[in-house]
Amino acid sequence: MQSSMRMRAAVAGALLGFLAAFAGPGGSATAVPADNVDTADTTVGDLTGFAADGPVYRLTAGQSQARVSFVTADTFRIELAPDGAFTDPTGSDITLPQGPPPATRWRDLGDRYELSSAQVTLRAYKSPLRFAAVRADGTPLWSEARGLSWNADRTTQTLARGATEQFYGAGMQNGRGNTSHRDKTVEVGVDYNWNDGGHPNSVPFYLSSAGYGVYRNTYAPNTYAFTEPVTTSAKERRFDAYYFAGTGGDAAKDVIGQYTRLTGKPFLPPVYGLEIGDADCYLHNANRGERRTLDALKVADGYVANDMPNGWMLVNDGYGCGYENLAEASAGLGERGMKLGLWTEDGIDKLEEQVKAGQRVAKLDVAWVGEGYKFALDGCKDAHAGIEAHSDARGFTWAPESWSGAQRCGVQWSGDQSGTWEYIRWQIPTYAGASMSGLAYTTGDVDGIFGGSAKTYTRDLQWKTFLPVTMTMDGWAANDKQPFRYGEPYTSINRASLKLHEALLPYIYSHAHQATKTGVGLARPLALEYPDDPKASTEAAKYEFLSGEDFLVAPVYQDAVERDGIYLPKGTWIDYWSGRTYQGPVTVDDYSAPLDTLPLFVRAGATVPMWPGDIRSYTDRAPDAPLAWDIYPKGSSSFELYEDDGVTREHRTGKYATQRAEVSAPNGGPGDVTVRIGASKGTYTGKPAARPYAFTVHTGDAPGTVRLDGRKLPAHTSRAAFDAAAQGWWYDRDERGGVVRVKTAALSTGRGFELKLTDTSAVGGAVPGASAALAVPSAQELGAGAPGTVAVDVTAGTRDATDVRVSLAAPAGWQVTPAAPLDRVPAGTTRRVEVTVTPAPDAEPGEATLTATARHRAAGTDRTATQRFAVGVMPPPPTGDAWASDLVWLRSTNGWGPPERDRSNGESGAADGRTLTLAGTTYEKGIGAHADSDIEVYLGGRCTTFTADVGIDDEINGYGDVAFSVEADGKVLWTSPRLTGASATLPVNVDVTGARHVRLRITDTNGSKSGDHADWAAARFGCA
């Protein structure tokens, strides 16, 4: 029973939004009694008049008037007024001044008029009036299959669809967007559905793989059916659309750039805005008991004590929360390296005094859409401007329901959800897809605001490390959502994710600057960077995305320690953790991903700027701190670093600097690698006059020498000697396939320098593929305190692997007996090595991460291959009959809140359910769950029977619609019929003889999870 003030408010807001769609600001349709609605479509007729006025052309078709305006050489606008009277509900709200119009020309070719700029020609066919667009060289862009049409409710454009044409955009479309919309219908407009299938932060813009984009200049809801033919409609009796003709090899990026030139380029956030944020209510919090605003500082201390980055805190995030001691709270957060944020539930009338007290983040409530998208957009712009009007800071806002133009003033996030594996799954395509509409900063709360678990939190935070922005929201779930709340191993894994994001801030911030020029955000679909790859637009690439051009992220979205179906496009890709190389296009299955490992790949040729060192906040960076470059050499590549003071608006007046890194290397195999770091051009407050540099060059083979501007740098023989030296280099064969580490003394930022590695190789080594690779069979299990074996498979590469020595790194307290070495593994063959491992006697049941290392020799060089993997640590099996609720649960996913032991499913707490009751009978023992639910127990082959009574708990009063099932070792043993709240209690008796693992599952059967409170009452295993 999912009830909360936030949800009730959302329902009320949804009603307001529904009414606003018809009568609110920006709506042009008028509500009419149903029996008077004219639903018949009228299609524009023959052209009856034509007039040219510079870049504006007027076309008459009977009573209807059309107007064509050229905005730039590659952007034009078409308007149609069915009654001849043009209107413009958006006015100057969304589109920005574009400067002088381009030179245009027109000609009459008999059957049509052609209206042309230097880049594009619009054809206006006369009988009937119908439009088509082509490039200057005659290449088709789009053509209408029929003329514009309208009825009392909406106006529609109908386009012919290309045989292989793909479509993207429409803003944030939950669960969709990074793959093609072809053959799908996409809604654009407020719906307050913040889950899979919803469309918060919609944008009435789409782009086509044919090289064009369309922006419908309206506040009205839109519907785009990308079928054959394509029909795009807006719920208003007028037509107003801008068309963009993409040019160059990156036509899609060019279209996004043109669209955001018209509606506003994404803003540049402050650096603290790119660090994780934290939100909660600290004054009068009904969910957490009486607290005060200054209690936020205690939570901030938790980030500091746990050495975790955090950039800002919202201290009043809760209905009716309020605040006090604002200036003191802001000062205290500042001492901890954080900024103050506020939720604008009560509007922005007090913004001036709040900003003067220290507010630097404004989160906009859903109520900002209640009166329509104009109200929402004005709120975003006004809050952004208000921060800037009363401080030297940059405007920084967040909004859950926005419209076109909001990219220039804030972050868009997908609303309030519950933390589950499904939540992770559908969010993966959402944010990369939103980038196709110029939304450069989109995200979702880490692990939602309801529900969640230690595992889902950890997995969700892992991949959101590679989004530019994210936030964690507390106070709504059973447990607060800070990344240190779940204890070990989760705290350490979460810290590593946050620290990696912090280290990557130079890369992320440089992309943020690029977005202000190009409109293209950091999170990208594969189709944007690989438009000619036939799989990039398909389901094969749905659950992965690119972070910039260089990182491919494939999140784990199931309770699993392996990931299948990772599609790597053309090129060489490097496993970020192991250094193993892959040649794309290829699909990677069985990728080993224990809980602490995000499937992550780097593009060969990547040159990634980073902040080295173990820092918690950007405020920890001294002006003369080192800058690091993580380089994967292949061919010619480059990256331009962008830097400014990170917090003020001085960059807008030219106070910033850029520094270009260029790398020259072989396209593969042996050769020299040259890194040229240019002079830092420009200046800003705090710019260092000199700084040291650190390089990690992924070669796979040691260089002969390393020279800085022609001068040999000293070679070191160990990591300790390298760390102790002021400058020099060291080749680490054991790190990620073999890397060369280089560091310099402080060098002037005012001049460039050259680093040259001689007699080394491109990424992958002098003999590509020579190194062995490791794999580990899945589902390996060990017992706490009991010796067992772990199998590791060694596969030789393109050369024999000799003197192969396999070792395992295990958690503290475990014992590992070294395995005997292998003399030789012939090229291309696999040998299995079994290592004896004894977990600690007190090892917790569940997953444990080990690292296999194979030191070997191949192609005349000493090499090291590594592989992280998970083994299962099993609890002792039952030694007699056992209640299911008394056993250790290896898996316990649930549709709402946690499953309950010996109680019905409650809210978000672990023990807030009621007495288990089926058909009036109460039960002392059992499991109360909510579909979809999955509980796994370990029996170790000791049991023979499973018995229970199942049904929908009486507390639901007739609701609910589910099915139960029992699985053993991957095989379904029993499935119930569909059960509802009106069904009789169903007895269960299943033979589980010999089963090691048993899963008790409850699935939703009607697509609605309302009231699916299902009980495994008196659930018991009969065991020897």
Side-chain angles (χ1 to χ4, degrees), residues 249-273:
D250 288 328
K253 289 183 181 179
D254 188 53
V255 167
I256 295 170
Q258 292 179 47
Y259 162 70
T260 53
R261 179 177 62 201
L262 179 70
T263 62
K265 289 289 192 279
F267 76 115
L268 181 64
V271 173
Y272 54 79

Side-chain angles (χ1 to χ4, degrees), residues 625-815:
L627 177 70
W629 291 92
D630 193 26
I631 298 171
Y632 299 77
K634 179 180 172 62
S636 297
S637 58
S638 63
F639 189 92
E640 186 169 89
L641 172 71
Y642 172 85
E643 297 175 291
D644 60 27
D645 67 23
V647 293
T648 76
R649 303 189 298 277
E650 290 186 351
H651 65 287
R652 297 181 192 168
T653 60
K655 291 187 176 182
Y656 61 86
T658 59
Q659 189 173 30
R660 188 172 181 83
E662 297 179 341
V663 179
S664 298
N667 283 316
D672 297 343
V673 175
T674 302
V675 181
R676 297 180 182 88
I677 304 297
S680 177
K681 299 178 180 178
T683 187
Y684 59 88
T685 302
K687 177 182 174 179
R691 63 183 168 198
Y693 292 83
F695 298 87
T696 304
V697 189
H698 298 253
T699 59
D701 277 282
T705 63
V706 177
R707 297 177 181 270
L708 176 63
D709 285 338
R711 176 176 52 86
K712 275 188 178 183
L713 289 176
H716 300 286
T717 58
S718 69
R719 180 61 184 264
F722 174 77
D723 289 343
Q727 61 179 350
W729 67 274
W730 173 59
Y731 178 70
D732 187 351
R733 61 171 280 198
D734 293 337
E735 182 180 353
R736 296 185 282 175
V739 302
V740 184
R741 288 191 169 271
V742 184
K743 63 180 176 179
T744 74
L747 301 174
S748 170
T749 56
R751 71 174 189 87
F753 62 90
E754 180 181 280
L755 190 73
K756 188 166 187 176
L757 288 68
T758 64
D759 300 322
T760 183
S761 65
V763 65
V767 181
S771 180
L774 301 183
V776 179
S778 60
Q780 298 193 78
E781 295 177 354
L782 298 168
T789 59
V790 171
V792 178
D793 292 333
V794 181
T795 301
T798 58
R799 300 290 189 273
D800 290 0
T802 60
D803 191 23
V804 181
R805 299 175 183 272
V806 175
S807 61
L808 289 181
W814 290 41
Q815 296 180 4

Side-chain angles (χ1 to χ4, degrees), residues 74-77 120 133 135 141-142 157 159 165-169 204-216 224 226 241-247 251-259 262 436:
D74 39 28
T75 300
F76 60 87
R77 180 185 187 184
V120 66
R135 299 186 195 278
L141 289 169
W142 58 264
Q157 184 175 46
L159 301 178
E165 190 174 5
Q166 308 297 329
F167 303 89
Y168 305 90
F205 163 83
Y206 68 91
L207 61 82
S208 160
S209 63
Y212 72 88
V214 185
Y215 160 62
R216 292 291 280 266
Y224 304 149
F226 295 109
Y242 288 82
Y243 298 82
F244 314 98
T247 58
K253 289 183 181 179
D254 188 53
V255 167
I256 295 170
Q258 292 179 47
Y259 162 70
L262 179 70
M436 298 297 261

Side-chain angles (χ1 to χ4, degrees), residues 346-404:
D346 298 324
I348 57 175
D349 293 343
K350 299 178 181 178
L351 194 60
E352 177 178 356
E353 63 184 81
Q354 292 168 344
V355 171
K356 289 179 178 178
Q359 179 187 2
R360 294 295 180 268
V361 184
K363 180 186 162 201
L364 305 176
D365 183 50
V366 294
W368 285 109
V369 194
E371 296 183 35
Y373 275 124
K374 173 177 170 54
F375 191 67
L377 185 56
D378 285 347
C380 178
K381 292 188 289 189
D382 291 347
H384 184 276
I387 291 173
E388 298 194 347
H390 306 295
S391 72
D392 65 352
R394 303 173 196 175
F396 187 54
T397 75
W398 283 55
E401 295 282 352
S402 63
W403 197 244
S404 194

